[in-house]
Amino acid sequence: MDIVDISKVHLPFALFDYSSQLLMSKPENYYSRFNYASCELWLCTEICHAINHEGQGLQQVSQGDFFLYNEDYKRDLTLYSSGRALTPKIETHIEMKVVYPVSKAKCLESMENLFNKLARSFNFGHQLEGWVYLVWTQHYNLTPDDFFDSRISWIQEKIKSKGKVDEQSNKKMTYFSEIKTIADGILKWRGMDKRIIVKAIAFSFR
């Protein structure tokens, strides 16, 4: 596993890419959790722990100057700098969503909620990102390709239509990360093999 690069940690998708590497390095730890009706809270907690403490994590490399924290002022994830100061500085506000094979309307509603949570920080000047984790299992009545292709298309369409408007009413363009395959493997479930695939995509604004 690469050491986290603190000179780039505040850049768009840097933490998303690094957290994806960490999750991909131990996919067997997450099959069973994604098999259930997962919520974002446990995933945020896992990512915080991994980025801050696993290997030569953010806390060690930055000597406490940078840290990732969850559920601070109702933000899913927040990257802070000046961690040893009395009042750390917000660098990045991240919101997360786990998506299963629900209807298009429910998927788009989830993206609307995700966008609205980020919208609270539009005028604060820090980096904003949305991270979406898509989960398919073989018990769903559609192929993995159909699931991922359709849902990623819906997500991109929805977020592009929203965009970001700054204080001068200028609309910011939306851009997306590469799609990451977080896990693809077999879980023993109810006496049978069950295939689970998890992919992730992030978005931001400029």
Side-chain angles (χ1 to χ4, degrees):
M1 179 60 58
D2 294 336
I3 300 173
V4 61
D5 187 343
I6 59 173
S7 70
K8 298 179 179 179
V9 74
H10 63 286
L11 297 178
F13 307 140
L15 277 184
F16 175 74
D17 290 342
Y18 186 63
S19 66
S20 296
Q21 289 181 46
L22 291 169
L23 294 176
M24 286 187 285
S25 69
K26 296 187 294 185
E28 65 281 357
N29 287 6
Y30 303 106
Y31 290 153
S32 60
R33 300 189 189 194
F34 281 114
N35 182 49
Y36 306 122
S38 302
C39 70
E40 289 75 30
L41 182 57
W42 77 264
L43 187 54
C44 289
T45 303
E46 289 286 344
I47 288 174
C48 273
H49 173 75
I51 287 179
N52 285 323
H53 298 295
E54 283 197 8
Q56 296 191 55
L58 194 59
Q59 282 284 284
Q60 179 179 344
V61 173
S62 72
Q63 297 183 331
D65 280 337
F66 285 90
F67 66 96
L68 190 67
Y69 203 76
N70 68 321
E71 292 300 313
D72 212 6
Y73 293 93
K74 297 186 177 180
R75 295 183 296 266
D76 281 349
L77 292 171
T78 309
L79 173 67
Y80 288 96
S81 61
S82 304
R84 290 180 289 178
L86 183 62
T87 304
K89 177 185 175 184
I90 297 174
E91 294 287 345
T92 307
H93 168 191
I94 300 161
E95 293 293 335
M96 292 176 51
K97 187 63 67 176
V98 179
V99 173
Y100 291 88
V102 295
S103 67
K104 182 175 183 178
K106 289 185 178 180
C107 179
L108 296 181
E109 181 181 1
S110 292
M111 293 305 102
E112 180 81 18
N113 292 337
L114 179 61
F115 180 87
N116 288 340
K117 291 177 73 176
L118 287 171
R120 298 177 306 173
S121 298
F122 273 178
N123 296 323
F124 293 162
H126 41 256
Q127 179 75 23
L128 304 175
E129 294 184 11
W131 297 4
V132 184
Y133 293 80
L134 302 102
V135 182
W136 175 90
T137 81
Q138 68 186 55
H139 288 173
Y140 292 118
N141 191 28
L142 76 169
T143 68
D145 285 346
D146 286 345
F147 169 66
F148 290 113
D149 289 348
S150 62
R151 272 57 180 185
I152 289 171
S153 176
W154 297 348
I155 290 165
Q156 291 177 327
E157 176 185 349
K158 180 65 174 181
I159 299 302
K160 284 178 181 177
S161 73
K162 302 293 291 184
K164 170 188 171 182
V165 179
D166 62 19
E167 290 176 302
Q168 288 75 43
S169 297
N170 298 314
K171 189 170 183 178
K172 301 291 187 180
M173 296 298 295
T174 307
Y175 60 111
F176 296 86
S177 71
E178 295 180 355
I179 298 167
K180 306 287 186 180
T181 299
I182 302 299
D184 183 350
I186 303 296
L187 171 72
K188 277 291 185 183
W189 181 247
R190 299 172 65 185
M192 297 177 288
D193 289 341
K194 181 178 181 179
R195 188 181 179 197
I196 298 177
I197 305 175
V198 182
K199 296 190 178 186
I201 187 171
F203 64 87
S204 189
F205 311 96
R206 61 182 170 194

